[in-house]
Amino acid sequence: MSHDTTHAPEAQHGEHEHHETPVVFGFWVYLMTDCILFGTLFVVFAVMCHQFAGGPTGKELFDITNVEIETAILLFSSITYGFASIAAHARKKSAVLAWLLVTFVLGVSFVGLEIHEFADLVERGAGPDRSAFLSSFFTLVGTHGLHVTIGLIWMFILFFQILGRQGLSDRMQSKLTCLSLFWHFLDIVWICVFTFVYLGSVM
Amino acid sequence: MLGKLTLSSIPYDVPILVGTFIGVAVIGIAVLAAITYFRKWGYLWREWLTTVDHKKLGVMYIVLAIVMLLRGFADAFMMRTQLALSYAGNPGYLPPHHYDQVFSAHGTIMIFFMAMAFMTGLFNFVIPLQIGARDVAFPFLNSVSFYMTLVGAVLINVSLFIGEFSNVGWLGYPPISELQFNPGVGVDYYIWAVQISGVGTLLTGVNFFTTIVKMRAPGMKWMQMPVFTWTSFYAIVMILLTFPVLTVTIALLSLDRYLGMHFFTNDGGGSVMLYLNLIWSWGHPEVYILILPAFGVFSEIAATFSGKPLFGYKTMVYASGVITLLGCLVWVHHFFTMGAGADVNTFFGIMTMFIAVPTGVKIFNWLFTMYKGRVRFEGPMNWIVGFMITFSIGGMTGVMMAMPAADWVLHNSLFLVAHFHNVIIGGVFFGYIAGMNYWFPKVFGYKLRDSWGKWAFRCWFVGFYLSFIPLYIVGLEGMTRRLNHYDNPNWHPWLLVACVGVFVLAVGVACQVGQLICAIIDAVHQKRDALDATGDNWGSGRTLEWSIPSPVPHYNFARLPTVRGLDTFHIEKELGRPTPVESLKPIHMPKYSVLGPVIGVFTFLFGFAMVWHIWWMAIIGLLGVFAAMVIRSADLDIDFYVPVEEVRADEEAFAKRISAAQAAE
Amino acid sequence: MKRLWRLFPALPALMLSGCTVDLLQPDGPIGEGNRDMMVLEFAIMMCVVVPTCIATLFFAWKYRASNTKAEYRPNWSHSNAVEVFIWGMPIAIIAVLSGFNYWSTHYYDPYRSLPKDMLVREHAENTKPLTIEVVAIDWKWLFIYPEQGIATINELDVPTKTPLNLHITSDSVMTSFFIPQLGSQIYSMAGMETQLHLLARNPGVLRGEAAQYSGPGFSDMKFKTIALPQEQFQSWVENVRNGSSQFASHEPLNLQTYPKYAKPPVVRESVAPTPSPVIYFGEAQSDLFQHIIAKYNNGMVRSINNGKIMRMDMHAASNGAASSSDTGM
């Protein structure tokens, strides 16, 4: 094909609308596959949750207060992201940036608390190589944490792209929508983690 | 600095590998020299490697598939000759250390890098054209997917010359694939090759699902989609449902190997049975992922070459849906011998048997498509007749093994090996090759030479039976798969016959290579008589892709077609092509991007580094991929408009060719 | 050439005469059940497959483009009658096969003790079943006869017309225990016990093998199965006990000596590992099998007698083979 073709910027806006729909739809499809990924990890955890291999059980290890704080932070960050979305629809750039910043800080503190929890477990001799139960625990919760971290990096980049020349363009709007879907999805996954992994182990 | 990689990792003391390396190096240098001599580097880079055009990506996938077919076939050839020799004290020429890698590589390559790549190539080329779209939903992502698949294939081939490949079979069953029993890098090569290409396939799935759902031409209802698009759609749904499971399973295995976790280890509470369930709940749907598009290919070809519509279009669509559903509910039949309860085994056994119903229905559909038709035995059609016979037999042996009481003796025998080759060669491979013959003129404007194709078919058909009927028999004589040597006098004659069969198959492969070489010669000489002016190369095309010029312009459709029913193009030919009322508009197209190959290079660095525990390089690889994605996300210059003048010129030339062809008739 | 063709129908018989097709000529009721199911399915399926293949060739020939005399209906693509036939017939066949499937999966379930009516047919209803514990090791088979207090490596001697209750585990990777002529195989997995019930009808030597790839020594991981009449089996047991056989080991098999025998042979890249010889142990520790399972489960094992989880004494089990894969107790 030849590249010596010209731009037709006057037609760009209308055509863009036509092309944006599949982005959000495609992201939904991706999220569904991610859902199956987490589903598989939950199944693995369900199979492994009594394989302590003589090591510590969840009841002995988990600090529910810490997990409750993590949960509260993550749920709250979903609300603040919601405010960012509302601001984006209203095309209020500075409000979007402010709410993204708040969400980012909350997300970072969630990841921080999780890393702290993991480090504490490893220090107590309950690392992922101790038993199948701990392997599946670290993998499931760690995969969620990794997703949150990726979401944070994504947020960080979008923050600077909004500051920069992209502003709140249509393309940026759909990126914000995708991140919003991602962020709320991780919230839902976390609720399952909290219920089945932590509460399930302690009860 | 280089992790586990040392000079001694290079097997320079193994004559077969050194010979292979020299052969590959000579061919490789010759190809590179030819590209340099003809000054094609710039062309290759600008037009192919950086492309986001689904048609070119499709071609590259199929080229990759054919190269990997040669590699996988060489492995098969070595296995059959080894077993012909290694009888009664003769160790053959492949000690277990090599032989085990050969059969593992054969399976991995044929499934992931031959069949999957071939299938994705057909998806890429055909689906957007059949649904009247100008590209896929995410063209750049499509390029990334291709490079992921390519990286996996390259990793497997690198393992030939640096280190070793997995020696535990194509599914890497633990605990033998665990570090305790397998401290080498072979399994790690397997893990990263499969993992990386698997992610590529998953992204392809997301891409094409979105494409089919969102980008069909105006007016195309679901029940007006061509059958190939339908069956591919089902395959894509299965990719979305099951490839995440593969990703998780392989990731857990790598966590065991890299971080000492206990998912599938013998000790620490790990469970082999969990791995078997996980891998097969991907692995069984995987075989339906491969066969469904092949069914679609056969349906298109049967209709085109019988000069009739497909018999029972609706039946075909529903039957494929039933296969999709049941295909996800049968995985336990791969391990009836694991000691599950009788009720569990019965459930999965009966589910498996019931897949024979929609599959049988399809066979009858093709049969009745030929019925009262005018069947032309041009290249692609031969493969169908061969397929229907071979696949019926393979399906029958499949139903035999669906009965647990029979499977308890047939499991892991060469009977099983013969069965799945029967359906994969007779179904998947015949289908894809037929598809390549069928759509080749759409891609390049001229047909593959039929005589070479016919000989390839004859050799494959005869060679298949010569190779695999003996395996059914030795399977019944109690021979298990993956044996390296044996001393049972009953088996030896049959294995000699199978060895003759593999030589016949080799002639078939040679004919296919010859056919492709002839195609290149034809391309250089621009053989006019093979060219077709109308775009309807077979003269009886029914679906949208035949309504546009061959080769297809880079924007596919000058005007998005309006769909008026099933087999739109056939209707148009019957009623006369409508004169376009709509004026041409500038066409919005994606720009090519260097970031696809860049991501590929960094992914390769990452994969290779992970295999050899070269952590700094792995970090560079990851950062590189990440940086490329950030650059892409910030890039605003990703599209352009094809001006009306260019489209109009193309259209006028095409119209002129059509009227000239009609005048000549 | 013509004369050769005349021989063609006899070809299968020629090629099979004098050889045993293990799965079609079984030597026990379980193997017969496996075979009957296979043959039955084959026969029923052939009723569809053969006509389909013939119809394919016939339609392809009859409706070839050059045969302009054949009827051509360019728009015919639907017929309710054909639809009913092509859905109805496979459903009917599969429904019948499903019935057989249900029955045979339950009747021949490897975990189920041999059914009473089968034993009556085999004249074995009054014979006490023989328990054998099977351990898959790299790359050999260990057979423990707990009631006789003996053990063997790579040779399984069984009495004919006696129900065999096999308990199977692995002390290494997963593989599959299979004697083709006796029927059904079952996986052996470390830390777990699987079960298999078989019966040998006639005296003779049968091949036994590992049916799941298990590493470089896999091809030689096979054993002779020797079926002996009840009295001869008893005298064989006596022979093993008093160590008068050429295969006799000079020491008993117990937790102390076991690691020596369980050690895999040296693996080199250029040749297959040496196959393991046959060994007889006149004395075998009765709970060795449980210890082998227990060492992967933190010392816990399910009792064969009452199905309860019990703890094995791990001190006795701490040996070379166990320490490499210890559970970290």
Side-chain angles (χ1 to χ4, degrees):
Chain A
M1 75 174 239
S2 54
H3 278 286
D4 53 338
T5 44
T6 48
H7 273 271
E10 70 280 1
Q12 210 150 16
H13 189 76
E15 286 275 342
H16 255 291
E17 291 294 308
H18 172 72
H19 273 261
E20 295 300 27
T21 0
V23 173
V24 176
F25 180 83
F27 197 77
W28 265 109
V29 178
Y30 156 73
L31 276 188
M32 291 305 103
T33 67
D34 224 18
C35 194
I36 293 170
L37 185 136
F38 276 109
T40 313
L41 286 172
F42 273 107
V43 168
V44 171
F45 181 80
V47 172
M48 294 301 187
C49 64
H50 296 295
Q51 302 295 329
F52 303 116
T57 64
K59 208 167 189 166
E60 295 160 36
L61 288 173
F62 298 147
D63 170 13
I64 283 297
T65 329
N66 186 48
V67 184
E68 278 165 357
I69 296 170
E70 283 181 82
T71 311
I73 288 176
L74 200 64
L75 291 185
F76 196 61
S77 82
S78 249
I79 298 172
T80 56
Y81 196 101
F83 285 126
S85 292
I86 294 168
H89 276 290
R91 299 196 178 268
K92 290 179 187 157
K93 191 166 155 180
S94 49
V96 174
L97 291 175
W99 282 116
L100 279 186
L101 196 65
V102 175
T103 315
F104 186 80
V105 171
L106 288 170
V108 167
S109 33
F110 171 84
V111 173
L113 279 175
E114 193 165 295
I115 292 174
H116 177 259
E117 184 198 0
F118 279 12
D120 180 52
L121 286 178
V122 172
E123 215 166 275
R124 286 156 66 190
D129 53 350
R130 178 63 193 85
S131 67
F133 158 68
L134 283 164
S135 298
S136 59
F137 165 77
F138 273 94
T139 306
L140 172 54
V141 180
T143 306
H144 177 268
L146 191 67
H147 273 73
V148 175
T149 313
I150 291 169
L152 287 173
I153 297 170
W154 189 2
M155 210 179 287
F156 183 82
I157 292 163
L158 288 195
F159 187 89
F160 283 98
Q161 286 181 347
I162 295 171
L163 265 184
R165 69 200 163 109
Q166 290 204 32
L168 286 173
S169 66
D170 289 338
R171 194 172 162 210
M172 183 54 69
Q173 291 277 7
S174 82
K175 283 186 195 174
L176 281 171
T177 311
C178 290
L179 179 56
S180 144
L181 290 171
F182 190 65
W183 202 250
H184 297 314
F185 168 74
L186 290 178
D187 230 18
I188 297 168
V189 173
W190 179 258
I191 289 169
C192 297
V193 170
F194 179 68
T195 317
F196 295 114
V197 177
Y198 288 102
L199 290 184
S201 299
V202 175
M203 292 290 184
Chain B
M1 183 68 181
L2 285 178
K4 293 159 87 176
L5 185 59
T6 60
L7 206 58
S8 62
S9 310
I10 297 165
Y12 44 77
D13 51 345
V14 183
I16 295 177
L17 289 179
V18 174
T20 313
F21 180 75
I22 293 169
V24 171
V26 168
I27 295 170
I29 290 168
V31 170
L32 296 184
I35 295 171
T36 314
Y37 178 79
F38 292 111
R39 296 162 182 254
K40 290 289 186 192
W41 279 113
Y43 166 77
L44 204 60
W45 176 254
R46 279 191 310 274
E47 296 295 305
W48 289 90
L49 297 179
T50 57
T51 191
V52 297
D53 181 341
H54 69 96
K55 300 179 287 296
K56 289 181 175 168
L57 284 166
V59 171
M60 292 202 290
Y61 267 113
I62 292 177
V63 169
L64 172 68
I66 290 171
V67 171
M68 295 310 278
L69 168 71
L70 296 177
R71 164 80 209 276
F73 183 76
D75 289 334
F77 193 84
M78 288 198 279
M79 282 188 275
R80 288 274 74 84
T81 43
Q82 160 74 13
L83 280 185
L85 291 172
S86 62
Y87 165 60
N90 182 344
Y93 65 101
L94 290 171
H97 177 75
H98 292 296
Y99 181 80
D100 300 350
Q101 293 179 45
V102 168
F103 69 65
S104 306
H106 172 75
T108 313
I109 285 173
M110 286 305 202
I111 296 292
F112 288 97
F113 301 106
M114 199 292 280
M116 286 302 278
F118 218 125
M119 179 191 81
T120 317
L122 291 177
F123 282 3
N124 263 286
F125 190 82
V126 180
I127 290 178
L129 299 183
Q130 280 200 332
I131 62 171
R134 286 187 173 133
D135 208 322
V136 295
F138 310 111
F140 173 70
L141 191 67
N142 205 9
S143 155
V144 173
S145 296
F146 169 74
Y147 280 101
M148 293 255 187
T149 311
L150 182 66
V151 165
V154 171
L155 271 179
I156 274 205
N157 285 311
V158 165
S159 77
L160 256 186
F161 308 123
I162 306 173
E164 57 183 4
F165 190 64
S166 163
N167 59 348
V168 295
W170 77 284
L171 282 182
Y173 273 18
I176 195 172
S177 56
E178 292 284 356
L179 211 54
Q180 185 193 349
F181 301 101
N182 230 317
V185 294
V187 178
D188 300 321
Y189 266 118
Y190 166 83
I191 284 177
W192 293 106
V194 169
Q195 189 68 295
I196 291 170
S197 72
V199 171
T201 305
L202 190 57
L203 294 178
T204 300
V206 171
N207 207 341
F208 278 87
F209 186 86
T210 312
T211 306
I212 294 176
V213 173
K214 285 285 177 188
M215 295 177 72
R216 277 170 290 142
M220 185 182 272
K221 302 194 185 87
W222 282 99
M223 287 312 273
Q224 292 169 346
M225 272 183 355
V227 184
F228 176 76
T229 301
W230 256 120
T231 55
S232 302
F233 179 73
Y234 284 125
I236 289 158
V237 169
M238 290 179 107
I239 287 177
L240 296 177
L241 288 175
T242 60
F243 266 73
V245 182
L246 174 73
T247 307
V248 169
T249 314
I250 299 291
L252 299 186
L253 181 62
S254 45
L255 287 172
D256 273 5
R257 287 181 63 88
Y258 283 80
L259 296 176
M261 295 198 189
H262 289 290
F263 288 105
F264 314 120
T265 51
N266 275 346
D267 57 341
S271 168
V272 188
M273 299 192 285
L274 177 64
Y275 186 89
L276 263 66
N277 275 290
L278 287 175
I279 199 82
W280 281 116
S281 60
W282 159 79
H284 196 81
E286 165 69 10
V287 300
Y288 290 102
I289 290 170
L290 295 178
I291 195 70
L292 280 172
F295 286 166
V297 172
F298 289 127
S299 305
E300 300 288 350
I301 296 175
T304 302
F305 289 92
S306 300
K308 274 177 69 207
L310 177 72
F311 179 85
Y313 167 85
K314 280 188 181 161
T315 297
M316 194 60 103
V317 172
Y318 295 137
S320 304
V322 174
I323 291 180
T324 306
L325 191 72
L326 290 179
C328 293
L329 292 175
V330 299
W331 75 90
V332 169
H333 72 214
H334 293 273
F335 42 88
F336 282 146
T337 54
M338 203 168 71
D343 291 327
V344 173
N345 283 347
T346 310
F347 172 80
F348 283 96
I350 290 178
M351 281 295 150
T352 309
M353 286 185 163
F354 264 94
I355 292 191
V357 174
T359 315
V361 166
K362 282 169 171 251
I363 299 264
F364 289 121
N365 274 333
W366 296 311
L367 201 58
F368 283 100
T369 304
M370 288 200 289
Y371 179 69
K372 295 191 178 171
R374 283 267 183 277
V375 186
R376 289 178 290 143
F377 285 92
E378 291 182 64
M381 193 65 198
N382 292 313
W383 296 96
I384 295 204
V385 176
F387 150 78
M388 283 169 66
I389 293 171
T390 313
F391 197 82
S392 300
I393 296 170
M396 175 195 69
T397 56
V399 174
M400 284 172 74
M401 287 191 296
M403 178 116 42
D407 182 69
W408 289 324
V409 286
L410 296 173
H411 180 67
N412 269 342
S413 70
L414 283 181
F415 188 95
L416 165 79
V417 172
H419 157 70
F420 68 70
H421 283 88
N422 202 332
V423 283
I424 288 185
I425 293 179
V428 176
F429 182 75
F430 280 18
Y432 293 173
I433 294 297
M436 185 179 81
N437 276 273
Y438 181 58
W439 280 299
F440 188 91
K442 191 81 247 167
V443 184
F444 294 106
Y446 59 98
K447 292 176 188 171
L448 285 169
R449 290 199 193 169
D450 208 24
S451 53
W452 285 91
K454 280 203 166 107
W455 277 109
F457 167 71
R458 286 168 194 154
C459 292
W460 269 96
F461 190 71
V462 174
F464 167 78
Y465 285 98
L466 268 181
S467 303
F468 290 98
I469 294 293
L471 297 197
Y472 275 123
I473 295 170
V474 287
L476 290 176
E477 290 178 342
M479 182 171 183
T480 53
R481 65 199 289 204
R482 293 171 180 169
L483 282 180
N484 172 261
H485 52 268
Y486 57 97
D487 49 16
N488 189 326
N490 297 350
W491 301 344
H492 189 56
W494 295 114
L495 291 168
L496 288 177
V497 177
C499 185
V500 174
V502 88
F503 277 91
V504 178
L505 290 178
V507 178
V509 173
C511 287
Q512 285 174 311
V513 173
Q515 193 185 28
L516 292 173
I517 291 172
C518 287
I520 295 171
I521 295 171
D522 290 351
V524 173
H525 292 178
Q526 293 283 321
K527 263 184 64 177
R528 286 290 147 204
D529 56 330
L531 280 176
D532 184 272
T534 63
D536 185 13
N537 300 64
W538 302 104
S540 50
R542 312 182 70 87
T543 39
L544 277 175
E545 74 268 32
W546 304 107
S547 69
I548 47 177
S550 316
V552 184
H554 63 93
Y555 49 80
N556 294 0
F557 294 90
R559 297 176 183 82
L560 285 181
T562 308
V563 175
R564 294 187 262 175
L566 184 61
D567 291 350
T568 302
F569 182 53
H570 181 74
I571 297 173
E572 283 185 4
K573 280 195 288 189
E574 297 274 291
L575 303 176
R577 290 193 188 201
T579 38
V581 278
E582 218 184 324
S583 61
L584 291 167
K585 289 191 202 118
I587 297 172
H588 185 210
M589 293 298 288
K591 266 192 180 166
Y592 286 10
S593 170
V594 296
L595 289 173
V598 167
I599 287 179
V601 168
F602 282 110
T603 312
F604 175 77
L605 282 183
F606 171 75
F608 186 78
M610 287 306 286
V611 169
W612 290 100
H613 296 205
I614 312 171
W615 308 124
W616 60 268
M617 199 160 111
I619 292 168
I620 289 178
L622 266 189
L623 287 179
V625 172
F626 176 71
M629 290 196 307
V630 173
I631 291 169
R632 173 73 191 179
S633 140
D635 191 358
L636 298 177
D637 183 24
I638 53 172
D639 46 11
F640 70 100
Y641 281 82
V642 185
V644 176
E645 299 75 50
E646 185 190 332
V647 182
R648 185 173 299 130
D650 288 351
E651 280 294 278
E652 280 166 4
F654 182 44
K656 216 178 274 172
R657 288 204 302 276
I658 292 181
S659 50
Q662 278 165 348
E665 266 174 26
Chain C
M1 196 61 205
K2 252 191 178 164
R3 227 181 282 159
L4 270 179
W5 277 114
R6 239 180 293 153
L7 283 174
F8 192 73
L11 196 66
L14 273 178
M15 300 217 58
L16 299 179
S17 63
C19 342
T20 322
V21 183
D22 299 36
L23 302 186
L24 301 182
Q25 289 150 277
D27 190 41
I30 296 288
E32 262 176 17
N34 299 136
R35 181 204 54 193
D36 292 347
M37 284 303 122
M38 243 182 332
V39 172
L40 177 93
E41 282 187 289
F42 181 77
I44 293 181
M45 295 293 290
M46 275 318 233
C47 301
V48 205
V49 171
V50 171
T52 308
C53 290
I54 292 172
T56 305
L57 293 173
F58 177 69
F59 285 4
W61 170 78
K62 170 129 193 236
Y63 299 106
R64 68 194 184 277
S66 57
N67 181 15
T68 46
K69 274 182 285 176
E71 193 184 350
Y72 178 38
R73 295 175 69 183
N75 290 314
W76 185 74
S77 67
H78 181 75
S79 149
N80 281 333
V82 173
E83 293 275 354
V84 169
F85 170 74
I86 64 179
W87 281 93
M89 192 193 49
I91 288 179
I93 290 176
I94 296 301
V96 171
L97 287 179
S98 297
F100 284 108
N101 191 327
Y102 180 87
W103 173 79
S104 64
T105 308
H106 285 78
Y107 189 74
Y108 295 109
D109 184 11
Y111 271 52
R112 178 182 171 184
S113 305
L114 297 184
K116 195 85 192 153
D117 57 320
M118 187 192 286
L119 292 180
V120 171
R121 268 196 316 262
E122 299 294 329
H123 309 292
E125 68 270 35
N126 296 323
T127 325
K128 187 174 171 285
L130 175 71
T131 301
I132 302 169
E133 293 163 339
V134 182
V135 187
I137 312 172
D138 280 344
W139 290 278
K140 54 189 158 257
W141 293 95
L142 168 66
F143 304 101
I144 305 169
Y145 298 73
E147 290 150 10
Q148 284 72 18
I150 59 168
T152 61
I153 284 177
N154 274 359
E155 185 183 300
L156 175 64
D157 290 67
V158 295
T160 54
K161 301 198 187 333
T162 307
L164 305 173
N165 296 351
L166 296 142
H167 301 267
I168 301 164
T169 190
S170 165
D171 193 13
S172 172
V173 303
M174 182 178 99
T175 188
S176 188
F177 173 86
F178 188 30
I179 304 168
Q181 278 187 281
L182 291 190
S184 297
Q185 63 184 296
I186 203 98
Y187 284 163
S188 65
M189 294 174 282
M192 281 173 267
E193 182 205 306
T194 46
Q195 294 177 30
L196 186 58
H197 293 84
L198 298 173
L199 185 144
R201 185 180 291 152
N202 300 308
V205 180
L206 311 171
R207 292 180 308 103
E209 58 198 21
Q212 166 77 39
Y213 173 76
S214 61
F218 163 68
S219 304
D220 294 311
M221 189 174 170
K222 47 196 176 189
F223 56 94
K224 258 189 207 162
T225 307
I226 303 177
L228 303 163
Q230 204 44 267
E231 317 78 57
Q232 283 184 38
F233 176 73
Q234 290 307 334
S235 57
W236 174 81
V237 169
E238 281 314 310
N239 265 342
V240 174
R241 277 208 189 114
N242 47 29
S244 56
S245 157
Q246 51 165 327
F247 303 124
S249 159
H250 58 279
E251 56 188 357
L253 184 70
N254 52 33
L255 279 174
Q256 283 69 45
T257 57
Y258 171 74
K260 196 166 73 186
Y261 295 98
K263 219 173 119 189
V266 181
V267 176
R268 277 177 300 159
E269 289 188 2
S270 52
V271 290
T274 334
S276 173
V278 173
I279 306 173
Y280 289 170
F281 299 96
E283 193 190 331
Q285 187 173 330
S286 60
D287 60 352
L288 182 62
F289 184 77
Q290 282 73 23
H291 274 288
I292 293 170
I293 293 180
K295 77 177 180 191
Y296 295 104
N297 292 325
N298 246 25
M300 308 302 267
V301 69
R302 191 178 292 275
S303 161
I304 291 188
N305 302 322
N306 53 19
K308 286 202 182 112
I309 304 281
M310 59 181 191
R311 173 171 291 277
M312 302 300 289
D313 179 11
M314 285 303 285
H315 284 291
S318 61
N319 51 46
S323 64
S324 65
S325 47
D326 207 335
T327 51
M329 263 297 279

